[in-house]
Amino acid sequence: MQAVILAGGEGWRLRPLTKNRPKALIPVGNKPLIDYCIEALLKAGIRDIIVVAGYRREQVIRHLNTLDHEVRVVFQEKQLGSAHALASAAPLIHETTLVLSGDNYVDAASIEEMGTEGNAIMVSASLSPSHYGVVRVQDNIITDFFEKPDEKGPCLVSSGLYLFTPEVIRSIREADLSDLLIRMIADGIPIRAVRGGEWYDAIHAWDLLGQNRHLLQMNGSQTSGTISRFATINGRVSIGSGSTIGPGCCITGPVRIGEGTTIGPNVVIGPDVSIGNRVSIEPFTVLENSLIMDDVRIGSHSRVVDSVIGERCTILDHLSTITTSGLFPLGENNTKMLHQGTFGAIIGEGVSLESSVVLKGCILGNNCRVQSGRRLEGVIPDSSQVI
């Protein structure tokens, strides 16, 4: 069997984190999301893997070239939709093909459950059906499909894992897979409904926290670097080479710490925290349920909870994030829509925060500068200076 990973989209609902990288390369649990897809496929015995790259495709190619398993790459020249992306791979497809999104997590058992014949969709129950395609099923056959309907859960939704015959892929004339599925149903082409296992999707930036929690549960305990004998480590904690854990630190897993990172002394971390490479966490700081990317500095006496911090951020002392729930305006092409979220802070790349900043349910754009003592809420655009 072949597999196609769709990794060409812009992921605008994850802004500001996808402004400078494709969604499939966002690191969760210190590993790009697309790596989990490839690992699941290999574990399920699928070796012929095609990746469709589009938005910032040079980054996708560069990353794939670092992997042990070789994959083929095709380009979606314009981001015209998921079916259009799949059609870009059609010349390389010669057998029934598994299709999955490069930014979702699905386990190998679910991939094996899809089988090897015919057309199929992995479906799952969801309490938020308005984010997905809702399906109607009779005798394990899809009878109807509604894209992002205004319905309340629970409903059966498409998980974004598909099985298509070469004939269906060669017949694509639609932009989006939802339209392809609607046409297939109308034409009487049977589509099996497969009840899936583990599946996690990040639609918005704050959803990465849930993905991070789940994927950290898969980590074992692997420690290297230098760990003070006066530090306390409990549960599943992975510490990369060249990292230093200072005295008085308390780390409660699941936690994953990258390479060349300096923690402490007297820092409290966890549970459910991933910290990237070359990060500095200064004394008397607390981190919980957060995702910290590479090359970040967090100053002393800070409290970071329920937050995502992008690469190359410099944060001085006494940062405090406050978790809140609300509606946040996100959109593209100057169109804003309100999306429900619960988090402390989403901080883009290259942000600089001076001392004693408070972020309460704040989405802080890339390359923002915030002076001392400011309290921010809501969405702050890229390159803003808050004085």
Side-chain angles (χ1 to χ4, degrees):
M1 191 193 304
Q2 294 179 278
V4 174
I5 300 174
L6 304 180
E10 294 188 32
W12 63 265
R13 286 179 291 190
L14 273 86
R15 293 286 196 265
L17 302 173
T18 52
K19 181 68 178 293
N20 298 314
R21 77 170 82 204
K23 183 179 177 183
L25 292 189
I26 289 180
V28 178
N30 284 6
K31 187 160 56 177
L33 287 169
I34 196 171
D35 287 13
Y36 295 103
C37 296
I38 294 172
E39 290 172 2
L41 290 169
L42 294 175
K43 188 174 181 180
I46 299 174
R47 296 283 184 267
D48 189 349
I49 301 172
I50 303 164
V51 174
V52 180
Y55 178 67
R56 299 194 175 275
R57 65 191 187 190
E58 70 285 350
Q59 295 183 28
V60 177
I61 296 169
R62 189 161 54 244
H63 174 70
L64 293 175
N65 285 340
T66 68
L67 302 181
D68 293 334
H69 183 80
E70 183 177 353
V71 302
R72 292 184 286 176
V73 181
V74 298
F75 301 140
Q76 184 186 19
E77 296 298 340
K78 294 183 179 180
Q79 281 66 70
L80 299 179
S82 51
H84 180 267
L86 178 57
S88 301
L92 300 180
I93 293 172
H94 54 80
E95 58 184 304
T96 301
T97 297
L98 196 74
V99 179
L100 63 166
S101 175
D103 50 54
N104 286 2
Y105 169 79
V106 63
D107 65 340
S110 296
I111 290 174
E112 293 170 349
E113 191 70 21
M114 292 290 287
T116 60
E117 297 181 0
N119 302 287
I121 304 176
M122 191 180 88
V123 299
S124 182
S126 174
L127 296 175
S128 303
S130 61
H131 294 317
Y132 306 101
V134 172
V135 298
R136 301 283 185 265
V137 179
Q138 184 175 352
D139 297 328
N140 292 323
I141 298 295
I142 306 291
T143 59
D144 215 340
F145 184 94
F146 306 91
E147 179 66 10
K148 297 180 177 66
D150 186 18
E151 293 191 25
K152 304 297 181 183
C155 291
L156 279 180
V157 301
S158 167
S159 67
L161 179 63
Y162 309 95
L163 190 70
F164 290 127
T165 62
E167 294 76 20
V168 165
I169 295 173
R170 285 193 290 267
S171 74
I172 292 175
R173 55 180 182 268
E174 294 81 5
D176 292 311
L177 285 173
S178 58
D179 296 324
L180 171 63
L181 296 170
I182 291 170
R183 174 171 64 84
M184 290 172 65
I185 294 169
D187 291 347
I189 300 174
I191 307 173
R192 289 183 294 112
V194 178
R195 304 297 176 116
E198 293 187 83
W199 163 64
Y200 290 87
D201 183 21
I203 296 177
H204 305 99
W206 49 84
D207 297 326
L208 294 170
L209 296 172
Q211 271 193 330
N212 192 55
R213 281 194 302 272
H214 173 74
L215 295 174
L216 285 173
Q217 294 288 343
M218 300 166 55
N219 287 335
S221 296
Q222 182 177 357
T223 58
S224 56
T226 302
I227 303 172
S228 170
R229 65 190 181 94
F230 299 108
T232 301
I233 297 178
N234 299 303
R236 283 177 290 184
V237 175
S238 178
I239 301 172
S241 63
S243 291
T244 301
I245 310 299
C249 288
C250 181
I251 304 177
T252 303
V255 167
R256 189 175 185 90
I257 298 171
E259 299 179 352
T261 287
T262 302
I263 308 293
N266 300 308
V267 168
V268 178
I269 298 177
D272 304 320
V273 175
S274 63
I275 299 173
N277 302 316
R278 301 173 301 278
V279 173
S280 174
I281 310 295
E282 297 184 0
F284 302 105
T285 285
V286 176
L287 304 178
E288 183 178 335
N289 190 39
S290 293
L291 192 163
I292 314 298
M293 298 187 191
D294 292 348
D295 301 300
V296 170
R297 173 195 171 191
I298 300 178
S300 67
H301 298 84
S302 295
R303 181 179 182 272
V304 179
V305 178
D306 302 329
S307 298
V308 180
I309 300 180
E311 292 182 351
R312 302 184 306 280
C313 289
T314 300
I315 298 168
L316 299 188
D317 57 281
H318 291 87
L319 168 69
S320 181
T321 67
I322 301 175
T323 304
T324 189
S325 297
L327 294 170
F328 298 88
L330 300 173
E332 59 180 345
N333 300 326
N334 299 316
T335 300
K336 298 291 184 181
M337 294 183 289
L338 295 176
H339 302 266
Q340 180 71 41
T342 300
F343 60 93
I346 307 297
I347 302 177
E349 297 180 359
V351 170
S352 177
L353 304 181
E354 294 185 2
S355 300
S356 302
V357 171
V358 177
L359 302 177
K360 180 181 179 181
C362 181
I363 301 175
L364 198 56
N366 300 295
N367 303 309
C368 286
R369 300 290 181 267
V370 181
Q371 287 191 355
S372 298
R374 299 300 181 263
R375 180 186 176 99
L376 303 179
E377 300 182 33
V379 181
I380 309 298
D382 288 353
S383 303
S384 296
Q385 296 196 33
V386 182
I387 59 176

